Amino acid sequence: MTNEKHEQMRQNDVPLEKILDAMELSGKWVVKRLKGNPTSGPFSELVLTEKAAVFFPKVAYMKWASGAWKWKQGLDLPTQFIRIIRSEMSHRLRDWRERNESEVTPMNNELVDRELEQALADELEMEEEMKDLGYANILEYVSAYPNLVVYVNLVRETNSYRTISKKLRIKMAEVKKLEAEVIKIVRTNRAK
Amino acid sequence: MEVNLLDKICVLDAKTVTKKEFEQTLGMSREEYLKEMRRFVEEQQRVKAAAESK
């Protein structure tokens, strides 16, 4: 079976409740990323005609269901939706900037903050830069744990559980434990 | 199988948004939000099924 056919089958098999869960979680991600509901700028209700957290999950669903977005192996549906939304946002941001370049003032420029720009950078041909920022951030949090520093650097080099397991000479389950440890440390630090 | 550390952290970030925060931002309850999404998905699925049956 080709990947395309397999993917189509997978889409048809997803129950509605799981799709709704993915829409809700990706909507929450939009709220988090935009720090609420922008009243102006490319992601405002005025421009989108709906609140961003309502609008973007619908776009994600449409693109996913149409098969326009290639499924990345190992991703669950909410993550897939977030990736589609991140891409959609970056394109809208770029278009909005091109249209408004002559009208950008310090005030409306602040509407799209630095953090958002960094998150969107990957789709604007700066994927590596975005990854660098992401991993640098993670490495900072785990710097007190040499084994986790080695692990994070390996993840950056290769995304394969199997390769990491071989290189560290540990079982796959132990690789997953390291992953869980890193995520826990990042979460704890971000919550501070 | 791939490790997607950055993606997983993204999803965890989304999970930290509280129900209250989400509802206040949207100006609607979680139930209303899901009802709207359900209506949208069902409508899209009907349109797709109709197009495929032609």
Side-chain angles (χ1 to χ4, degrees):
Chain A
M1 190 182 288
T2 65
N3 280 344
E4 209 169 303
K5 277 186 183 166
H6 180 80
E7 186 46 43
Q8 193 58 44
M9 207 178 98
R10 186 170 177 175
Q11 283 178 17
N12 293 336
D13 287 345
V14 176
L16 181 58
E17 294 309 319
K18 280 205 181 294
I19 294 173
L20 294 178
D21 284 349
M23 291 178 98
E24 185 185 8
L25 195 60
S26 58
K28 284 183 173 179
W29 180 83
V30 171
V31 169
K32 183 91 179 175
R33 180 54 64 202
L34 299 178
K35 298 191 178 99
N37 190 35
T39 50
S40 52
F43 310 127
S44 66
E45 193 172 343
L46 190 70
V47 172
L48 301 175
T49 71
E50 275 180 307
K51 285 180 177 164
V54 176
F55 178 85
F56 284 112
K58 288 181 179 175
V59 171
Y61 169 77
M62 296 285 281
K63 292 202 167 179
W64 168 72
S66 70
W69 193 268
K70 197 173 180 296
W71 193 287
K72 195 168 165 56
Q73 198 187 355
L75 288 190
D76 58 15
L77 195 57
T79 316
Q80 182 77 359
F81 273 31
I82 289 171
R83 288 176 79 97
I84 297 172
I85 294 171
R86 208 162 56 190
S87 163
E88 180 71 21
M89 279 183 165
S90 71
H91 286 113
R92 284 176 174 268
L93 176 64
R94 188 185 53 199
D95 291 348
W96 184 80
R97 286 211 162 140
E98 278 170 8
R99 278 199 309 273
N100 295 281
E101 209 161 294
S102 58
E103 295 162 30
V104 171
T105 64
M107 200 178 206
N108 65 26
N109 205 23
E110 278 173 17
L111 298 172
V112 182
D113 67 17
R114 187 168 167 76
E115 193 185 338
L116 176 62
E117 285 186 51
Q118 287 176 352
L120 300 177
D122 58 340
E123 285 293 324
L124 294 172
E125 297 171 2
M126 288 186 278
E127 192 169 359
E128 285 309 310
E129 191 182 327
M130 192 267 176
K131 278 185 184 168
D132 285 348
L133 284 166
Y135 284 116
N137 195 236
I138 295 170
L139 284 167
E140 199 181 311
Y141 293 141
V142 301
S143 59
Y145 309 88
N147 61 331
L148 297 183
V149 170
V150 172
Y151 165 72
V152 173
N153 279 317
L154 267 176
V155 173
R156 191 177 172 172
E157 201 180 292
T158 168
N159 267 339
S160 156
Y161 279 109
R162 193 176 299 278
T163 310
I164 294 171
S165 161
K166 275 184 186 170
K167 286 199 174 185
L168 292 179
R169 294 182 185 176
I170 56 175
K171 290 178 182 169
M172 296 262 275
E174 288 173 278
V175 177
K176 289 184 181 177
K177 270 188 191 169
L178 289 175
E179 182 188 65
E181 268 183 68
V182 170
I183 289 172
K184 192 179 167 191
I185 290 169
V186 172
R187 291 285 337 124
T188 310
N189 277 280
R190 288 198 178 173
K192 278 179 189 170
Chain B
M1 198 173 170
E2 287 186 359
V3 184
N4 290 295
L5 208 50
L6 295 179
D7 283 326
K8 282 182 182 168
I9 288 168
C10 251
V11 172
L12 285 167
D13 271 346
K15 285 181 179 168
T16 63
V17 175
T18 64
K19 190 177 165 185
K20 195 177 167 191
E21 194 182 346
F22 191 53
E23 288 183 358
Q24 276 175 349
T25 303
L26 290 165
M28 63 172 91
S29 70
R30 178 178 178 265
E31 288 69 31
E32 285 170 322
Y33 177 79
L34 288 175
K35 203 172 160 188
E36 158 73 14
M37 291 305 180
R38 182 184 289 269
R39 189 200 57 74
F40 174 79
V41 172
E42 285 175 345
E43 179 60 25
Q44 293 303 322
Q45 289 180 341
R46 267 197 296 276
V47 171
K48 193 179 174 190
E52 281 170 358
S53 68
K54 276 182 187 172

